[in-house]
Amino acid sequence: MSPEPKVCASCGRRIEWRKKWERDWEQVRYCSQACRKRGVTRTDQELEAAIVDLLDGRAGGATICPSEAARRVDPDGWRDLMEPARRAARRLVADGTVEITQSGRVVDPSTAKGPIRVRRAL
């Protein structure tokens, strides 16, 4: 039986157990070399804080688009922050702080494709 999946410290996606990690599973923190190299930057932390702050200003159950957090962090270069904002939202899902929704339904952040919304975890 394989151990429970983990969440990547960088992108927030689920890391499935692999046989090649059998001896190091406790040390595995990243899903890929790209995530290991990227890590969590100051901008990533700012995006997480922006998501939480925006949600604090909304009514319970209200959602935000990740682009709102990206615009708050960098009003001119927000488009380049869209994927980092999605990664920040996935990390917050792993913490239990928020949920990611599509068409009003909670979705798995590791497999969600297309536009997403973020709301406080219910």
Side-chain angles (χ1 to χ4, degrees), residues 19 52 56 61 78 111 114 116 121:
K19 179 72 173 165
V52 170
D56 284 345
W78 66 271
T111 58
I116 62 169

mmCIF file of all heavy atoms in Angstrom, residues 19 52 56 61 78 111 114 116 121:
data_model
loop_
_atom_site.group_PDB
_atom_site.id
_atom_site.type_symbol
_atom_site.label_atom_id
_atom_site.label_comp_id
_atom_site.label_asym_id
_atom_site.label_seq_id
_atom_site.Cartn_x
_atom_site.Cartn_y
_atom_site.Cartn_z
ATOM 1 N N LYS A 19 7.275 4.664 -6.865
ATOM 2 C CA LYS A 19 8.166 3.625 -6.354
ATOM 3 C C LYS A 19 9.597 4.150 -6.210
ATOM 4 O O LYS A 19 10.286 3.832 -5.240
ATOM 5 C CB LYS A 19 8.128 2.414 -7.293
ATOM 6 C CG LYS A 19 9.021 1.278 -6.892
ATOM 7 C CD LYS A 19 8.499 0.558 -5.689
ATOM 8 C CE LYS A 19 9.357 -0.677 -5.431
ATOM 9 N NZ LYS A 19 9.148 -1.230 -4.134
ATOM 10 N N VAL A 52 -6.013 36.303 0.359
ATOM 11 C CA VAL A 52 -6.640 36.298 1.685
ATOM 12 C C VAL A 52 -7.239 37.669 1.995
ATOM 13 O O VAL A 52 -8.372 37.762 2.481
ATOM 14 C CB VAL A 52 -5.619 35.867 2.766
ATOM 15 C CG1 VAL A 52 -6.172 36.079 4.164
ATOM 16 C CG2 VAL A 52 -5.219 34.411 2.561
ATOM 17 N N ASP A 56 -11.124 38.602 2.638
ATOM 18 C CA ASP A 56 -11.538 39.214 3.907
ATOM 19 C C ASP A 56 -12.473 40.386 3.660
ATOM 20 O O ASP A 56 -13.336 40.674 4.487
ATOM 21 C CB ASP A 56 -10.315 39.700 4.702
ATOM 22 C CG ASP A 56 -9.564 38.554 5.359
ATOM 23 O OD1 ASP A 56 -10.116 37.435 5.446
ATOM 24 O OD2 ASP A 56 -8.407 38.779 5.778
ATOM 25 N N GLY A 61 -18.786 33.447 1.528
ATOM 26 C CA GLY A 61 -19.177 32.680 0.350
ATOM 27 C C GLY A 61 -18.899 33.370 -0.969
ATOM 28 O O GLY A 61 -19.029 32.767 -2.028
ATOM 29 N N TRP A 78 0.231 42.321 -14.423
ATOM 30 C CA TRP A 78 -0.590 41.292 -13.792
ATOM 31 C C TRP A 78 -0.770 40.043 -14.646
ATOM 32 O O TRP A 78 -0.908 38.947 -14.118
ATOM 33 C CB TRP A 78 -1.941 41.855 -13.378
ATOM 34 C CG TRP A 78 -2.821 42.270 -14.509
ATOM 35 C CD1 TRP A 78 -2.865 43.487 -15.110
ATOM 36 C CD2 TRP A 78 -3.791 41.462 -15.174
ATOM 37 N NE1 TRP A 78 -3.796 43.485 -16.114
ATOM 38 C CE2 TRP A 78 -4.375 42.259 -16.174
ATOM 39 C CE3 TRP A 78 -4.215 40.149 -15.033
ATOM 40 C CZ2 TRP A 78 -5.360 41.779 -17.014
ATOM 41 C CZ3 TRP A 78 -5.204 39.658 -15.868
ATOM 42 C CH2 TRP A 78 -5.774 40.479 -16.846
ATOM 43 N N THR A 111 -6.380 19.266 -10.774
ATOM 44 C CA THR A 111 -6.849 18.883 -12.104
ATOM 45 C C THR A 111 -7.727 19.946 -12.772
ATOM 46 O O THR A 111 -8.119 19.761 -13.918
ATOM 47 C CB THR A 111 -7.640 17.561 -12.028
ATOM 48 O OG1 THR A 111 -8.741 17.732 -11.133
ATOM 49 C CG2 THR A 111 -6.761 16.424 -11.547
ATOM 50 N N GLY A 114 -9.039 25.655 -17.028
ATOM 51 C CA GLY A 114 -9.914 26.759 -17.393
ATOM 52 C C GLY A 114 -10.085 27.745 -16.254
ATOM 53 O O GLY A 114 -9.383 27.679 -15.250
ATOM 54 N N ILE A 116 -11.087 29.710 -13.013
ATOM 55 C CA ILE A 116 -11.429 29.291 -11.660
ATOM 56 C C ILE A 116 -11.807 30.510 -10.836
ATOM 57 O O ILE A 116 -11.506 31.634 -11.201
ATOM 58 C CB ILE A 116 -10.261 28.556 -10.959
ATOM 59 C CG1 ILE A 116 -9.040 29.469 -10.807
ATOM 60 C CG2 ILE A 116 -9.931 27.258 -11.662
ATOM 61 C CD1 ILE A 116 -7.948 28.924 -9.917
ATOM 62 N N ALA A 121 -12.759 28.727 2.516
ATOM 63 C CA ALA A 121 -13.198 27.347 2.754
ATOM 64 C C ALA A 121 -14.409 27.377 3.668
ATOM 65 O O ALA A 121 -14.433 28.118 4.653
ATOM 66 C CB ALA A 121 -12.072 26.547 3.374
#
